[in-house]
Amino acid sequence: MPKHSPRQLDPRAPLVLDTRDLPRRPGALRELRRVVTAPADLGVELISVPEGADLDLDLRLQSVSEGVLVSGTVAGPVKGECGRCLREIDDSVVVNVQELYAYEDSTTDETTDEDEVGRMQGDLIDLEPALRDAVVLALPTNPLCREDCPGLCPECGVHWDDLPADHSHQQIDPRWAGLSQLNRTEE
């Protein structure tokens, strides 16, 4: 028996799956295609799925002896900024999701830790934690606008792409500044 009772699931929530029409015999299968709105904070510091964006779910719900195996893909837009040059990134992501949700009062309660396997509430499955894990882990922590992004000039902060090929900043050590003047007077 679970140590604590989780929050009550709302069957109308977009990321709550109802399995009432999925027979509880191993091998039974149901396919689900749905467009849902993205929850808040679905990403990392520099790149994320915008809150409210459309996420395309293409899932298979399969009955197994201990519960329901949910597998498939989640696709949606991502927005952020390049970790090198700070330009805007507007892209998309497709990630695989696979999670086992144990039936209530199954032997899985006794054989696994509470956070090892997802738990069903009656016939309901909360897909959000598995979706969040899959999407966030698929996003780069240091996204790039393109693989060969040269970044910014560390001195002036201008994009290297926008600077001429001979761009440089003359750095003279103040202790040697007087000697650089000697070179100019001889010319």
Side-chain angles (χ1 to χ4, degrees):
M1 181 146 238
K3 295 180 177 102
H4 74 285
S5 65
R7 65 179 173 86
Q8 191 64 29
L9 294 179
D10 178 4
R12 296 176 307 241
L15 291 172
V16 172
L17 307 178
D18 191 343
T19 63
R20 279 182 290 186
D21 62 346
L22 180 66
R24 286 193 176 202
R25 68 172 186 275
L29 179 70
R30 184 177 124 216
E31 291 189 359
L32 173 73
R33 286 184 179 80
R34 179 188 292 180
V35 176
V36 299
T37 57
D41 301 322
L42 187 57
V44 292
E45 188 175 348
L46 292 178
I47 193 163
S48 64
V49 175
E51 183 176 356
D54 286 344
L55 293 176
D56 295 315
L57 305 180
D58 187 4
L59 304 173
R60 292 175 44 161
L61 284 68
Q62 183 174 6
S63 287
V64 294
S65 59
E66 288 296 313
V68 176
L69 178 65
V70 177
S71 58
T73 59
V74 176
V78 291
K79 291 188 181 286
E81 61 184 27
C82 179
R84 287 186 190 156
C85 72
L86 306 178
R87 286 195 170 132
E88 186 176 311
I89 295 174
D90 194 2
D91 203 359
S92 62
V93 66
V94 178
V95 296
N96 292 321
V97 175
Q98 184 166 356
E99 185 79 17
L100 173 65
Y101 293 89
Y103 295 129
E104 289 180 322
D105 301 323
S106 70
T107 57
T108 308
D109 288 340
E110 299 163 10
T111 60
T112 61
D113 289 334
E114 201 170 327
D115 58 348
E116 240 181 301
V117 174
R119 308 285 183 207
M120 293 179 66
Q121 285 185 22
D123 292 318
L124 301 178
I125 292 174
D126 185 6
L127 187 63
E128 185 173 342
L131 177 135
R132 185 173 296 281
D133 287 350
V135 171
V136 171
L137 290 173
L139 295 175
T141 54
N142 191 22
L144 299 176
C145 59
R146 64 179 206 261
E147 284 299 317
D148 63 341
C149 176
L152 304 173
C153 172
E155 298 298 320
C156 61
V158 176
H159 292 106
W160 278 113
D161 287 339
D162 299 338
L163 294 170
D166 62 347
H167 176 77
S168 68
H169 295 274
Q170 184 108 16
Q171 297 243 340
I172 299 176
D173 186 328
R175 297 172 291 182
W176 300 100
L179 291 176
S180 69
Q181 297 303 321
L182 291 175
N183 193 20
R184 288 190 182 146
T185 56
E186 292 177 11
E187 290 177 2

